[in-house]
Protein backbone atom coordinates (compact mmCIF):
# COMPACT_ATOMS: atom_id res chain seq x y z
CA UNK A 1 0.00 0.00 0.00
CA UNK A 2 1.09 3.57 -0.62
CA UNK A 3 2.44 5.45 2.36
CA UNK A 4 0.07 8.31 3.33
CA UNK A 5 1.51 11.74 2.61
CA UNK A 6 1.17 12.72 6.27
CA UNK A 7 3.23 9.75 7.54
CA UNK A 8 6.12 10.82 9.74
CA UNK A 9 4.91 14.41 9.83
CA UNK A 10 2.85 14.19 13.03
CA UNK A 11 -0.31 15.31 11.20
CA UNK A 12 -3.47 13.28 11.70
CA UNK A 13 -5.60 12.61 8.65
CA UNK A 14 -8.73 13.92 10.42
CA UNK A 15 -9.51 14.93 13.97
CA UNK A 16 -6.21 15.79 15.56
CA UNK A 17 -7.85 16.28 18.96
CA UNK A 18 -11.16 14.37 18.78
CA UNK A 19 -12.53 12.25 15.91
CA UNK A 20 -16.17 11.10 15.86
CA UNK A 21 -17.43 8.95 12.96
CA UNK A 22 -20.85 7.26 13.10
CA UNK A 23 -21.16 8.27 16.75
CA UNK A 24 -23.54 10.10 19.09
CA UNK A 25 -21.42 11.56 21.89
CA UNK A 26 -21.92 14.36 24.37
CA UNK A 27 -18.62 16.26 24.62
CA UNK A 28 -18.59 18.85 27.38
CA UNK A 29 -16.08 21.07 29.26
CA UNK A 30 -12.87 20.15 27.45
CA UNK A 31 -9.86 22.18 26.33
CA UNK A 32 -8.78 21.12 22.82
CA UNK A 33 -5.58 22.98 21.99
CA UNK A 34 -2.56 22.67 19.71
CA UNK A 35 -3.58 19.77 17.44
CA UNK A 36 -2.76 19.25 13.76
CA UNK A 37 -4.66 17.39 11.04
CA UNK A 38 -5.44 17.61 7.36
CA UNK A 39 -9.11 18.24 8.19
CA UNK A 40 -10.75 19.06 11.49
CA UNK A 41 -7.58 19.72 13.42
CA UNK A 42 -9.34 20.28 16.73
CA UNK A 43 -12.47 18.15 16.30
CA UNK A 44 -13.82 16.10 13.38
CA UNK A 45 -17.44 14.88 13.11
CA UNK A 46 -18.71 12.66 10.28
CA UNK A 47 -22.12 10.98 10.00
CA UNK A 48 -22.66 11.79 13.66
CA UNK A 49 -25.25 13.24 16.01
CA UNK A 50 -23.56 15.02 18.87
CA UNK A 51 -23.84 17.65 21.57
CA UNK A 52 -20.61 19.66 21.76
CA UNK A 53 -20.86 22.32 24.44
CA UNK A 54 -18.85 24.41 26.90
CA UNK A 55 -15.56 23.49 25.24
CA UNK A 56 -12.56 25.59 24.21
CA UNK A 57 -11.06 24.82 20.79
CA UNK A 58 -7.99 26.97 20.24
CA UNK A 59 -4.73 27.16 18.28
CA UNK A 60 -5.28 24.10 16.08
CA UNK A 61 -3.95 23.85 12.51
CA UNK A 62 -5.58 22.10 9.54
CA UNK A 63 -3.74 21.76 6.24
CA UNK A 64 -6.99 21.60 4.29
CA UNK A 65 -10.14 22.76 6.12
CA UNK A 66 -11.74 23.04 9.52
CA UNK A 67 -8.97 24.46 11.65
CA UNK A 68 -11.13 24.25 14.76
CA UNK A 69 -14.05 21.96 13.91
CA UNK A 70 -14.94 20.03 10.73
CA UNK A 71 -18.50 18.70 10.31
CA UNK A 72 -19.21 16.27 7.44
CA UNK A 73 -22.63 14.81 6.55
CA UNK A 74 -24.00 15.29 10.06
CA UNK A 75 -27.57 15.76 11.28
CA UNK A 76 -28.87 16.78 14.71
CA UNK A 77 -25.46 18.06 15.80
CA UNK A 78 -25.28 21.01 18.20
CA UNK A 79 -22.26 23.21 18.92
CA UNK A 80 -23.21 25.41 21.85
CA UNK A 81 -21.52 27.82 24.26
CA UNK A 82 -17.99 27.11 23.07
CA UNK A 83 -14.96 29.32 22.55
CA UNK A 84 -13.43 28.64 19.13
CA UNK A 85 -10.40 30.87 18.70
CA UNK A 86 -7.06 31.16 16.98
CA UNK A 87 -7.50 28.13 14.71
CA UNK A 88 -6.09 28.05 11.18
CA UNK A 89 -6.66 26.46 7.77
CA UNK A 90 -3.87 28.25 5.91
CA UNK A 91 -3.17 26.19 2.78
CA UNK A 92 -6.25 25.07 0.82
CA UNK A 93 -9.67 25.08 2.38
CA UNK A 94 -12.10 27.16 4.39
CA UNK A 95 -13.58 27.28 7.83
CA UNK A 96 -10.82 28.50 10.06
CA UNK A 97 -13.18 28.17 13.03
CA UNK A 98 -15.91 25.77 11.82
CA UNK A 99 -16.22 24.10 8.40
CA UNK A 100 -19.42 22.30 7.38
CA UNK A 101 -19.62 20.03 4.34
CA UNK A 102 -22.71 18.25 2.97
CA UNK A 103 -24.90 18.94 6.01
CA UNK A 104 -28.26 19.57 4.35
CA UNK A 105 -30.39 16.80 5.82
CA UNK A 106 -32.94 17.26 8.60
CA UNK A 107 -32.57 17.77 11.47
CA UNK A 108 -29.95 20.32 10.51
CA UNK A 109 -26.88 21.15 12.64
CA UNK A 110 -27.07 24.09 15.05
CA UNK A 111 -24.30 26.52 16.02
CA UNK A 112 -25.64 28.50 18.98
CA UNK A 113 -24.21 30.90 21.53
CA UNK A 114 -20.52 30.49 20.73
CA UNK A 115 -17.60 32.91 20.64
CA UNK A 116 -15.76 32.44 17.34
CA UNK A 117 -12.84 34.82 17.23
CA UNK A 118 -9.43 35.25 15.61
CA UNK A 119 -9.53 32.24 13.27
CA UNK A 120 -7.98 32.15 9.79
CA UNK A 121 -8.72 30.35 6.51
CA UNK A 122 -7.13 31.00 3.14
CA UNK A 123 -10.50 30.47 1.39
CA UNK A 124 -14.17 31.00 2.17
CA UNK A 125 -15.18 31.63 5.78
CA UNK A 126 -12.60 32.58 8.34
CA UNK A 127 -15.14 32.06 11.12
CA UNK A 128 -17.74 29.66 9.66
CA UNK A 129 -17.82 28.11 6.19
CA UNK A 130 -20.83 26.23 4.74
CA UNK A 131 -20.54 24.00 1.66
CA UNK A 132 -23.82 22.32 0.69
CA UNK A 133 -24.84 22.90 4.31
CA UNK A 134 -27.70 24.82 5.93
CA UNK A 135 -27.14 24.97 9.68
CA UNK A 136 -28.85 27.28 12.15
CA UNK A 137 -26.31 29.93 13.18
CA UNK A 138 -27.78 31.88 16.11
CA UNK A 139 -26.69 34.07 19.02
CA UNK A 140 -22.97 33.83 18.31
CA UNK A 141 -20.18 36.39 18.60
CA UNK A 142 -18.15 36.04 15.39
CA UNK A 143 -15.35 38.59 15.43
CA UNK A 144 -12.02 39.32 13.73
CA UNK A 145 -11.70 36.14 11.70
CA UNK A 146 -9.62 36.24 8.53
CA UNK A 147 -10.82 34.71 5.28
CA UNK A 148 -12.94 35.73 2.32
CA UNK A 149 -15.76 36.50 4.79
CA UNK A 150 -16.54 36.05 8.46
CA UNK A 151 -19.43 33.70 7.62
CA UNK A 152 -19.48 32.06 4.17
CA UNK A 153 -22.04 29.94 2.34
CA UNK A 154 -21.80 28.55 -1.18
CA UNK A 155 -24.65 28.68 -3.69
CA UNK A 156 -26.29 25.43 -2.55
CA UNK A 157 -26.27 26.32 1.15
CA UNK A 158 -29.03 28.19 2.97
CA UNK A 159 -28.00 28.70 6.59
CA UNK A 160 -30.49 30.21 9.04
CA UNK A 161 -28.43 33.17 10.30
CA UNK A 162 -30.09 35.09 13.15
CA UNK A 163 -29.23 37.34 16.09
CA UNK A 164 -25.44 37.16 15.83
CA UNK A 165 -22.82 39.82 16.40
CA UNK A 166 -20.53 39.56 13.37
CA UNK A 167 -17.84 42.23 13.26
CA UNK A 168 -14.38 43.26 11.97
CA UNK A 169 -13.89 41.08 8.90
CA UNK A 170 -11.95 42.16 5.82
CA UNK A 171 -12.18 40.62 2.32
CA UNK A 172 -15.84 40.27 1.35
CA UNK A 173 -16.86 41.54 4.78
CA UNK A 174 -18.85 39.95 7.56
CA UNK A 175 -20.99 37.74 5.30
CA UNK A 176 -20.63 36.30 1.81
CA UNK A 177 -23.19 37.61 -0.69
CA UNK A 178 -25.09 34.31 -0.65
CA UNK A 179 -26.20 34.74 2.97
CA UNK A 180 -29.51 36.31 3.94
CA UNK A 181 -29.91 37.51 7.53
CA UNK A 182 -33.29 36.57 9.03
CA UNK A 183 -35.59 39.50 9.74
CA UNK A 184 -37.55 37.98 12.63
CA UNK A 185 -36.64 38.16 16.31
CA UNK A 186 -33.93 40.38 17.82
CA UNK A 187 -31.77 42.12 15.26
CA UNK A 188 -28.30 40.92 14.36
CA UNK A 189 -25.42 43.26 15.22
CA UNK A 190 -22.09 44.29 13.83
CA UNK A 191 -20.24 46.01 16.66
CA UNK A 192 -17.22 45.73 18.91
CA UNK A 193 -18.04 43.14 21.62
CA UNK A 194 -15.65 44.94 24.02
CA UNK A 195 -13.31 42.06 24.76
CA UNK A 196 -11.26 42.55 27.92
CA UNK A 197 -8.83 39.91 26.69
CA UNK A 198 -9.14 36.89 24.36
CA UNK A 199 -11.80 34.61 25.78
CA UNK A 200 -13.23 37.10 28.24
CA UNK A 201 -15.26 40.29 27.80
CA UNK A 202 -17.66 42.70 29.46
CA UNK A 203 -20.97 43.60 27.89
CA UNK A 204 -22.46 47.05 28.04
CA UNK A 205 -24.90 45.94 30.77
CA UNK A 206 -21.98 44.92 33.01
CA UNK A 207 -22.42 41.17 32.63
CA UNK A 208 -19.21 39.26 31.99
CA UNK A 209 -18.15 35.90 30.66
CA UNK A 210 -15.19 33.77 31.62
CA UNK A 211 -13.69 30.76 29.90
CA UNK A 212 -15.74 27.63 30.56
CA UNK A 213 -19.03 29.44 31.32
Amino acid sequence: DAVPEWAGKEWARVGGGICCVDASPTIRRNVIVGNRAFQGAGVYFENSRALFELNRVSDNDAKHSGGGVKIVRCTDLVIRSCQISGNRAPEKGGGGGIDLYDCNRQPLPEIIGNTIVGNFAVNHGGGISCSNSSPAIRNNIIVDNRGQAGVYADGVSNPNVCTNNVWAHAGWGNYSKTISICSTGPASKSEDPLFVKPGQWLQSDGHGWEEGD
Side-chain angles (χ1 to χ4, degrees):
D1 292 340
V3 176
E5 65 177 299
W6 60 86
K9 298 181 182 179
E10 299 181 356
W11 288 78
R13 181 173 178 269
V14 296
I18 296 174
C19 181
C20 298
V21 179
D22 299 322
S24 302
T26 294
I27 301 171
R28 182 181 290 125
R29 294 189 182 278
N30 297 279
V31 177
I32 303 162
V33 174
N35 300 285
R36 300 191 296 176
F38 277 70
Q39 298 187 69
V43 185
Y44 180 87
F45 294 104
E46 183 175 345
N47 292 326
S48 294
R49 300 169 180 259
L51 173 59
F52 187 78
E53 67 175 358
L54 298 169
N55 300 290
R56 177 162 70 92
V57 183
S58 299
D59 299 315
N60 301 284
D61 290 282
K63 277 189 175 291
H64 188 271
S65 58
V69 182
K70 177 84 174 187
I71 304 170
V72 179
R73 290 185 290 276
C74 290
T75 61
D76 198 20
L77 184 145
V78 178
I79 297 178
R80 183 169 62 206
S81 301
C82 294
Q83 177 193 335
I84 300 173
S85 61
N87 303 287
R88 294 164 292 273
E91 294 191 18
K92 294 182 180 180
I98 301 174
D99 186 73
L100 298 100
Y101 175 77
D102 200 17
C103 297
N104 252 336
R105 294 171 294 170
Q106 296 285 347
L108 296 166
E110 298 182 318
I111 301 170
I112 303 172
N114 304 282
T115 298
I116 302 170
V117 59
N119 303 284
F120 169 73
V122 69
N123 290 315
H124 302 159
I128 300 174
S129 186
C130 303
S131 299
N132 190 32
S133 299
S134 302
I137 301 173
R138 301 194 305 270
N139 299 330
N140 301 283
I141 295 175
I142 304 171
V143 171
D144 196 27
N145 302 282
R146 291 183 295 150
Q148 291 176 318
V151 181
Y152 169 88
D154 66 9
V156 290
S157 298
N158 186 28
N160 180 18
V161 180
C162 296
T163 323
N164 301 284
N165 184 13
V166 183
W167 182 74
H169 298 98
W172 293 343
N174 291 326
Y175 302 98
S176 63
K177 294 180 180 179
T178 53
I179 289 180
S180 298
I181 310 303
C182 69
S183 57
T184 59
S188 294
K189 298 180 179 180
S190 180
E191 61 186 42
D192 188 344
L194 303 177
F195 290 119
V196 174
K197 62 180 182 179
Q200 182 179 357
W201 72 90
L202 293 177
Q203 300 174 4
S204 59
D205 60 5
H207 288 85
W209 173 91
E210 293 182 354
E211 192 176 290
D213 285 352

